[in-house]
């Protein structure tokens, strides 16, 4: 993020900034998808425990859609 | 970005982290789309100047697809 702000401030090549933006976006999405994949695995292993902790499978699905 | 790292380190609620990830991703995409919308406008106003500067319309289209 800081790196991208510097690139914008330094008026760097548009195509280089777009490449960094795409990489940063992908990295953020992957963090989210990893978290949710692990949440989904918990739901499937023990749906009642997961729901009791506030994450029924419908909620995990909703969070997936929020990121996609 | 720093804020999200702190949230992960502090083991905050999954749904709050996902909300922040989605917001950060959207913000990054918007920076890119704004840059490219302005690049596209330049291409349409003066295609030869834009191409001479290394951004023919095909290249701006390619960069759009990279972010989408």
């Amino acid at each position: 993020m800081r790196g991208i702000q510097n690139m914008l401030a330094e008026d760097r090549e548009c195509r280089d900034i777009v490449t960094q933006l795409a990489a940063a976006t992908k990295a953020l999405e992957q963090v989210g998808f990893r978290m949710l994949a692990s949440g989904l695995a918990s739901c499937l292993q023990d749906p009642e425990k997961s729901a009791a902790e506030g994450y029924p499978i419908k909620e995990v699905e909703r969070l997936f859609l929020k990121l996609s």
Side-chain angles (χ1 to χ4, degrees), chain A:
Chain A
M1 214 80 137
R2 184 75 52 85
I4 294 172
Q5 286 178 330
N6 290 343
M7 290 178 86
L8 288 166
E10 293 163 7
D11 209 15
R12 291 270 291 280
E13 272 295 323
C14 172
R15 82 190 84 236
D16 298 335
I17 298 176
V18 169
T19 299
Q20 288 306 314
L21 285 170
T25 304
K26 192 167 183 179
L28 285 178
E29 280 173 351
Q30 289 202 353
V31 172
F33 287 132
R34 279 182 195 209
M35 278 179 37
L36 290 173
S38 129
L40 205 52
S42 299
C43 283
L44 296 173
Q45 274 183 328
D46 194 339
E48 289 177 17
K49 178 162 175 275
S50 188
E53 288 169 350
Y55 292 95
I57 194 157
K58 280 285 167 210
E59 170 73 353
V60 178
E61 282 173 2
R62 189 186 69 81
L63 294 172
F64 251 110
L65 288 177
K66 199 162 180 172
L67 279 185
S68 66

